[in-house]
Amino acid sequence: MTRRQAAALGGASALLGGSLLLYLVLRIPPQMPDGQPNVAALLLALFCLLFAAAGIGTLAALGLHNRWPALAGVRRRGRPSPAVALRQGALLALGAGAIVLLAYAHLLDAAYLIVTFVILVLFEAFIQSRA
């Protein structure tokens, strides 16, 4: 996969997920008329958030890898693989999804926020050390 393909995939994901999320937030109520939560709408909103976060994370990682290739695990001079940016974007999306689910369950506080991102960073470091 080339950098241009990864950027196109990230941009399309961010655009599609963001536009669908905006539509859901503006047009679909989060509760049914009887007061029960609209589970289908909430799950679709979470799925759209994951797509948008993965796209934005991928685009950000591609930009950061140009300036600091060590973020992609490249030790010497060279071009980092665009697949690393896609993986890092997906990890950012998983972190965003975990934070949203914790917030929905009223369990989110500063400790969980910090621990979530520390776990994601450690997981990425583990993957880079194995390659």
Side-chain angles (χ1 to χ4, degrees):
M1 173 173 286
T2 64
R3 290 183 56 79
R4 182 170 288 177
Q5 289 172 337
L9 186 63
S13 175
L15 186 63
L16 181 65
S19 61
L20 283 175
L21 183 64
L22 185 65
Y23 174 77
L24 283 171
V25 167
L26 294 178
R27 298 288 181 196
I28 309 293
Q31 292 182 343
M32 302 292 269
D34 62 353
Q36 296 292 326
N38 189 351
V39 177
L42 292 174
L43 286 176
L44 188 58
L46 178 66
F47 187 69
C48 292
L49 175 77
L50 292 177
F51 258 89
I56 292 169
T58 298
L59 293 175
L62 282 171
L64 289 172
H65 293 172
N66 280 339
R67 178 78 171 122
W68 297 292
L71 291 176
V74 175
R75 305 246 186 263
R76 297 172 197 77
R77 287 277 190 209
R79 301 283 289 179
S81 173
V84 176
L86 290 172
R87 181 182 68 226
Q88 290 174 347
L91 282 174
L92 181 70
L94 287 176
I99 289 170
V100 167
L101 288 175
L102 285 171
Y104 183 72
H106 301 289
L107 296 173
L108 184 65
D109 62 353
Y112 285 128
L113 185 71
I114 292 168
V115 167
T116 300
F117 283 115
V118 166
I119 289 172
L120 291 173
V121 167
L122 288 174
F123 186 67
E124 175 63 24
F126 172 73
I127 291 173
Q128 285 183 6
S129 71
R130 293 186 48 105

